[in-house]
Amino acid sequence: MFLHIGGDVVIPVKDVIAIMDIDTTTISKDTKEFLKIAEEEGFIRSISEDLPKSFIITEVDKKSVIFLSPISSVTLKKRSQYISEIANL
């Protein structure tokens, strides 16, 4: 199953490691440093020109990829739970 994370981007649910809220997690100095290093090393992909509300940490082909999404972490969580429920039918 796939998760729509904004724009024209869908990712396999099995590749998702974490869905994080930008506002609450970037309060931490460690998270800011993590995202800064990830950006410098080219692991971050922005989905749209809109301000990101969340970031999704994934593993694709044994490589970490972090997507910046304009969709809130709460909405993405609900979508992923809905997909899990459908898969169990």
Side-chain angles (χ1 to χ4, degrees), residues 29-86:
K29 183 176 81 170
D30 294 332
T31 305
K32 285 181 186 177
E33 185 68 20
F34 168 75
L35 290 173
K36 179 182 172 195
I37 291 169
E39 185 173 23
E40 290 170 355
E41 294 186 6
F43 293 114
I44 293 187
R45 295 189 190 155
S46 186
I47 293 172
S48 75
E49 297 297 319
D50 296 334
L51 279 175
K53 294 180 182 175
S54 62
F55 62 97
I56 302 97
I57 302 171
T58 65
E59 184 177 336
V60 179
D61 298 327
K62 300 189 185 209
K63 251 183 122 175
S64 294
V65 178
I66 301 169
F67 293 94
L68 299 179
S69 174
I71 299 173
S72 76
S73 60
V74 173
T75 300
L76 292 172
K77 179 183 176 222
K78 286 178 185 176
R79 288 181 184 181
S80 67
Q81 287 174 334
Y82 178 73
I83 291 168
S84 295
E85 289 173 12
I86 290 174

